Amino acid sequence: MPVETIAWTGQSVRIIDQTLLPIEVKYLDIGDIETLREAIKSLRVRGAPAIGIAAALGCYLGVRRSAAGDFASFRAELKRVCDYIGSARPTAVNLFWALERIQALADRMSDRPIEQIKHAILNEALDMIEEDHRICRAIGRHGAELLRDGMSILTHCNAGGLATAGYGTALAPVFYAAEQGRRIHVYADETRPLLQGARLTAWECREAGIPVTLISDNMAATVMAQGKVQAVFVGTDRTAANGDVANKIGTLGVAVLAHEFRIPFYVAAPLSSIDMSLESGEQIPIEERNPDEVTHPFGRQIAPDGIEVYNPAFDVTPHRYVTAIITERGIVRPPFTEGLRRVFDEANTRRSL
Amino acid sequence: MPVETIAWTGQSVRIIDQTLLPIEVKYLDIGDIETLREAIKSLRVRGAPAIGIAAALGCYLGVRRSAAGDFASFRAELKRVCDYIGSARPTAVNLFWALERIQALADRMSDRPIEQIKHAILNEALDMIEEDHRICRAIGRHGAELLRDGMSILTHCNAGGLATAGYGTALAPVFYAAEQGRRIHVYADETRPLLQGARLTAWECREAGIPVTLISDNMAATVMAQGKVQAVFVGTDRTAANGDVANKIGTLGVAVLAHEFRIPFYVAAPLSSIDMSLESGEQIPIEERNPDEVTHPFGRQIAPDGIEVYNPAFDVTPHRYVTAIITERGIVRPPFTEGLRRVFDEANTRRSL
């Protein structure tokens, strides 16, 4: 991973401002939840795992100076902080997963001094960073089994190190395989409207020494038809219990094309991004964003004034297009409802041991 | 059609500079073939029918001041002009179709005075403009049979009035149906890298009073999955005898998606864009363009310095994804080899009567 996406400085949350990459490498030290929420909302920090961690650290920022005298009022304050941060973006489940984890921790400590709870919240958030490193590594190790020397893969958006605290989800198998000496070539969809593929994936691969070719999103079909890629790897913002995958807008198109051209379509999904409470992808809320992202990329007008725009930030890929889901606990293949249930059961069993 | 795309002023070729639309409406008067070739190459004038007409007018620009004393030297001069203009862009067959038509005209007049041949070349080019109006109208009339009141269609790139001298190919059925009082809604793919959908189709539809919604290319799958569009209409730069369709990059992806979501995929193709000399689309030369179009849209850098880019300007959609081809002589359905042959035979029979 070329940079540290998110870290705790001891006083504040340090993030790399991803809206400026790759033109400018600028770090922001964030000490309040208003700035943190804005950073999540405007994608200065983005990627499901990374915003989960940002949210957890945000909980600490939000309560660290709390003057609450008893648990009930502290808990109410924490809830307000969580609701506020949680309203930044609706689709990525990691945001809510992290906020719930922090609140559950607080609830378990209801009989402890407030200062001790505050301290535990920070530690929990820092644990998530460490965990994320291990999870990315495990996804990389499992996913690398799908990569042979000399293969080319297509990826969409950025599910690399910049989307996590570790070295990514969808790109982790590529980085892992490269460490093992396998040569893997990445085709990166530019990923309109916010161009995370062009700006982040292309940059991150190059910094890591991975050969990368940038294409416009609408070139993916040709790249597949010409046999230039042998697999697709993407991340996910929320995957339902049946394996339906919400991910950056354009993922559905890539999945359908991969299906048509008989190219395996793999989703790298830490368990924290799998929402077992949702039966299917139809229940995943899809964020719609500002039309300006489409009409004024980087402040340059490319469409007529006031034109109507449809700008969903995510789409849902039905599980029938998904070849396998790569989790930190192994590769899950269809039928996903059973496979994902089994992985969660095993994870819970291990945790309770 | 909101503007005149290409016209003859009496002295020069007047085009609207499409690279500046919709921000600026600027006309260029072009009096020499160097400027004309540059205008074709850099897409100031674009769209298969429009560049055919530009090429024909260019022939006149190239020979109007010829001092050739005999037909052989005039013909050699005309050939040099045609080769020069023809080298501007390789994919759209209309360019070559128009240049061949002008040269065939000259050959038929080999026993006539040079000045008379020059005059005939200009008239032939002006005839093409008139023909193009009739062809667009006929495609509109035939294609409109496929449109019901209240329908929404998706289109890719710009095959509207700006791509022709008339009111377009793929958009002609929409304009025609709207004239008949049917309400048709257009979803316009922005069409990276050069954004002809965002800049030209969105603008042209709005100027014509057609409701239009702009999307990024990678949103087409979601728009289809959500049932927002009931048909796809695109143009073509060159269609082979078997119905394989070369068109703006991204068309293949749209076609595959339409196939998957059971949405009819229609190609509007004047006969001049159908290359009966090619058995299949595999033989169509595909132009690759400058990486800067991808990495520096409108002069703004969006990717790391020197990143490798793949930038094919067109793709080829195999005929199995094409529901029907709309020509000025009616709608052709599969099997296309027979259907297109029949249309050409009828056209030739009529011409020879």
Side-chain angles (χ1 to χ4, degrees):
Chain A
M1 186 190 40
V3 292
E4 203 158 26
T5 303
I6 185 161
W8 176 248
T9 66
Q11 293 303 321
S12 54
V13 182
R14 178 166 293 171
I15 61 165
I16 186 163
D17 186 344
Q18 298 195 34
T19 63
L20 304 176
L21 285 172
I23 312 305
E24 196 180 337
V25 178
K26 184 180 170 186
Y27 290 87
L28 302 174
D29 285 341
I30 298 174
D32 63 276
I33 58 170
E34 289 73 21
T35 311
L36 185 87
R37 183 178 181 280
E38 190 280 334
I40 294 172
K41 198 171 170 61
S42 63
L43 279 60
R44 298 185 202 287
V45 58
R46 31 94 20 227
I51 66 178
I53 290 163
L57 288 168
C59 287
Y60 180 67
L61 291 184
V63 299
R64 63 175 164 177
R65 297 200 185 92
S66 164
D70 58 77
F71 181 76
S73 54
F74 177 79
R75 187 65 182 80
E77 225 173 293
L78 178 61
K79 173 140 195 348
R80 276 197 303 278
V81 168
C82 288
D83 290 348
Y84 177 71
I85 296 172
S87 66
R89 300 195 71 194
T91 302
V93 72
N94 297 61
L95 192 60
F96 309 105
W97 167 86
L99 296 171
E100 277 159 27
R101 182 164 152 180
I102 295 294
Q103 290 177 95
L105 168 81
D107 289 340
R108 286 198 305 275
M109 299 180 70
S110 58
D111 57 348
R112 313 287 269 279
I114 303 293
E115 286 311 307
Q116 202 177 330
I117 303 176
K118 290 181 186 175
H119 189 71
I121 287 175
L122 177 59
N123 277 337
E124 187 80 357
L126 298 178
D127 279 353
M128 286 186 198
I129 295 181
E130 289 310 309
E131 274 170 33
D132 198 49
H133 279 279
R134 288 197 301 275
I135 289 168
C136 290
R137 207 77 211 139
I139 288 176
R141 193 176 70 247
H142 294 302
E145 291 168 22
L146 305 165
L147 292 169
R148 296 179 311 280
D149 186 45
M151 255 173 99
S152 291
I153 67 118
L154 177 79
T155 190
H156 187 72
C157 196
N158 174 266
L162 288 164
T164 67
Y167 73 177
T169 55
L171 290 182
V174 173
F175 293 145
Y176 194 94
E179 284 170 23
Q180 313 282 308
R182 278 171 272 174
R183 288 155 307 171
I184 311 294
H185 189 109
V186 172
Y187 280 83
D189 278 354
E190 67 174 7
T191 317
R192 278 280 282 149
L194 294 178
L195 298 159
Q196 292 92 337
R199 297 190 301 105
L200 309 179
T201 298
W203 181 72
E204 197 176 319
C205 284
R206 203 178 58 175
E207 295 289 310
I210 308 287
V212 57
T213 303
L214 174 63
I215 58 171
S216 300
D217 299 307
N218 61 22
M219 294 168 190
T222 278
V223 163
M224 291 186 192
Q226 293 174 341
K228 289 189 196 295
V229 295
Q230 290 80 50
V232 176
F233 283 76
V234 298
T236 176
D237 293 83
R238 188 184 310 211
T239 285
N242 70 343
D244 290 353
V245 172
N247 191 44
K248 181 53 58 195
I249 189 72
T251 303
L252 171 61
V254 172
V256 169
L257 291 170
H259 182 79
E260 181 71 12
F261 291 109
R262 303 187 198 296
I263 293 165
F265 179 85
Y266 300 118
V267 177
L271 296 189
S272 58
S273 66
I274 300 173
D275 187 346
M276 295 299 281
S277 77
L278 301 186
E279 262 178 52
S280 89
E282 284 167 33
Q283 298 157 276
I284 301 174
I286 298 297
E287 176 183 8
E288 278 192 46
R289 293 181 62 87
N290 197 314
D292 281 2
E293 292 182 352
V294 174
T295 58
H296 289 70
F298 295 78
R300 281 300 259 283
Q301 182 175 353
I302 60 148
D305 286 322
I307 201 81
E308 186 185 312
V309 168
Y310 178 50
N311 185 21
F314 302 93
D315 57 28
V316 175
T317 298
H319 58 85
R320 68 176 177 279
Y321 299 116
V322 178
T323 308
I325 297 174
I326 309 163
T327 77
E328 65 269 37
R329 291 187 171 268
I331 296 173
V332 180
R333 293 187 180 267
F336 291 115
T337 304
E338 291 75 2
L340 292 175
R341 169 56 51 211
R342 197 163 45 239
V343 168
F344 271 86
D345 286 348
E346 285 167 11
N348 290 335
T349 307
R350 247 218 237 179
R351 234 173 254 138
S352 60
L353 285 182
Chain B
M1 187 191 40
V3 293
E4 202 158 27
T5 304
I6 184 161
W8 176 249
T9 66
Q11 293 302 319
S12 54
V13 181
R14 178 166 294 171
I15 62 165
I16 186 163
D17 185 344
Q18 298 194 34
T19 63
L20 304 176
L21 285 172
I23 313 304
E24 195 181 338
V25 177
K26 184 181 169 188
Y27 289 87
L28 303 175
D29 285 341
I30 298 174
D32 63 274
I33 59 170
E34 289 74 21
T35 310
L36 185 86
R37 184 178 180 281
E38 191 280 335
I40 294 171
K41 199 171 170 59
S42 62
L43 281 60
R44 298 184 202 287
V45 58
R46 31 110 358 241
I51 66 177
I53 291 163
L57 288 168
C59 287
Y60 180 67
L61 291 184
V63 299
R64 64 176 163 176
R65 296 197 186 96
S66 165
D70 58 76
F71 181 75
S73 54
F74 177 79
R75 187 63 183 79
E77 225 172 294
L78 178 61
K79 173 137 196 349
R80 276 196 303 277
V81 168
C82 288
D83 290 348
Y84 176 71
I85 296 172
S87 67
R89 300 194 71 193
T91 302
V93 71
N94 297 60
L95 191 61
F96 310 104
W97 167 86
L99 296 170
E100 277 159 28
R101 182 164 153 180
I102 295 293
Q103 289 177 95
L105 169 81
D107 289 340
R108 286 198 305 274
M109 296 181 73
S110 59
D111 57 348
R112 312 287 269 280
I114 303 294
E115 287 310 308
Q116 204 177 329
I117 304 177
K118 291 181 185 175
H119 189 71
I121 287 174
L122 176 60
N123 276 337
E124 188 79 359
L126 297 179
D127 278 354
M128 284 186 200
I129 295 181
E130 289 310 308
E131 274 170 33
D132 198 48
H133 280 278
R134 288 197 300 275
I135 288 167
C136 290
R137 216 55 223 149
I139 287 175
R141 193 175 69 247
H142 294 303
E145 291 167 23
L146 304 165
L147 292 170
R148 296 179 311 280
D149 186 43
M151 253 173 101
S152 291
I153 66 118
L154 177 78
T155 190
H156 187 72
C157 196
N158 173 266
L162 288 163
T164 67
Y167 72 176
T169 55
L171 289 183
V174 174
F175 293 144
Y176 194 95
E179 284 171 23
Q180 314 281 309
R182 277 172 273 175
R183 288 155 306 169
I184 311 294
H185 189 109
V186 172
Y187 280 83
D189 278 353
E190 67 174 5
T191 317
R192 277 281 282 151
L194 293 178
L195 299 160
Q196 293 92 336
R199 297 189 301 105
L200 309 179
T201 298
W203 182 71
E204 198 177 318
C205 285
R206 203 179 56 176
E207 295 288 309
I210 308 287
V212 58
T213 302
L214 174 63
I215 58 172
S216 300
D217 299 307
N218 61 22
M219 294 168 191
T222 278
V223 163
M224 290 186 194
Q226 293 174 341
K228 289 191 196 292
V229 296
Q230 291 80 49
V232 176
F233 284 76
V234 298
T236 176
D237 294 84
R238 189 184 309 211
T239 285
N242 69 344
D244 289 354
V245 172
N247 191 44
K248 181 53 58 195
I249 188 72
T251 303
L252 171 61
V254 172
V256 169
L257 291 170
H259 182 78
E260 181 71 12
F261 291 109
R262 302 186 199 296
I263 293 166
F265 180 85
Y266 299 118
V267 178
L271 296 190
S272 58
S273 65
I274 300 172
D275 187 347
M276 295 297 281
S277 76
L278 300 186
E279 262 177 52
S280 89
E282 283 166 35
Q283 298 158 276
I284 300 174
I286 297 297
E287 176 182 9
E288 278 192 47
R289 294 180 62 87
N290 197 314
D292 282 3
E293 292 182 352
V294 174
T295 57
H296 289 71
F298 295 78
R300 282 298 261 282
Q301 182 175 352
I302 59 148
D305 287 321
I307 201 82
E308 186 186 310
V309 168
Y310 179 51
N311 184 21
F314 303 93
D315 56 29
V316 175
T317 297
H319 59 83
R320 69 175 175 280
Y321 299 117
V322 178
T323 308
I325 297 175
I326 309 163
T327 77
E328 65 268 38
R329 290 185 172 270
I331 296 174
V332 180
R333 293 187 180 267
F336 291 116
T337 304
E338 291 76 2
L340 293 175
R341 168 55 51 209
R342 198 163 45 239
V343 168
F344 270 86
D345 285 348
E346 285 166 12
N348 289 334
T349 308
R350 241 212 243 186
R351 235 173 253 138
S352 62
L353 286 179

